């Protein structure tokens, strides 16, 4: 089974509330064996909509990444983002 990458591009509109989401989401990532590879680090936008924050998390499979997203733990964390950000999220399976 191929690994998968959770790739999120985010514009944070309420940093304090968004920080609560990040803290609450971490246990869900750990439960589904997600490893944060990039979060809030330097970037260059070459095409597309400018977003101020980018996150890449590696999971053991596309199924694990999707299960994490749909889990009660993550959904509870995600509820904390209402009104704190705009984002795009995609899960991409790695090439073996």
């Amino acid at each position: 089974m191929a690994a998968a990458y959770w790739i999120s591009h985010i514009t944070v509109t309420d940093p304090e509330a968004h920080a609560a989401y990040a803290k609450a989401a971490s246990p869900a990532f750990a439960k589904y064996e997600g490893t944060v590879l990039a979060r809030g680090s330097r970037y260059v936008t070459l095409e597309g909509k400018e977003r101020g924050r980018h996150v890449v998390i590696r999971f053991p499979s596309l199924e694990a990444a999707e299960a994490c997203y749909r889990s009660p733990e993550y959904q509870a964390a995600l509820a904390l983002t209402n009104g704190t950000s705009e984002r795009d999220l995609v899960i991409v399976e790695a090439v073996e």
Side-chain angles (χ1 to χ4, degrees), residues 4-96:
Y5 297 91
W6 170 314
I7 303 169
S8 187
H9 307 288
I10 309 160
T11 298
V12 176
T13 56
D14 183 340
E16 187 175 307
H18 192 76
Y21 152 78
K23 183 176 180 180
S26 293
F29 298 146
K31 179 178 178 178
Y32 292 91
E33 301 179 54
T35 302
V36 176
L37 302 178
R39 177 175 45 208
S41 50
R42 291 175 25 149
Y43 68 92
V44 175
T45 299
L46 299 175
E47 294 184 22
K49 186 172 182 174
E50 176 71 23
R51 298 283 190 184
R53 187 169 177 84
H54 306 278
V55 179
V56 179
I57 304 172
R58 183 184 188 279
F59 286 87
S61 67
L62 188 131
E63 292 78 12
E66 186 175 2
C68 178
Y69 181 84
R70 298 188 189 288
S71 72
E73 299 90 347
Y74 185 74
Q75 289 299 306
L78 187 59
L80 299 173
T81 67
N82 290 339
T84 70
S85 64
E86 297 175 12
R87 69 186 199 153
D88 300 304
L89 173 62
V90 63
I91 300 169
V92 180
E93 191 169 56
V95 174
E96 290 187 0

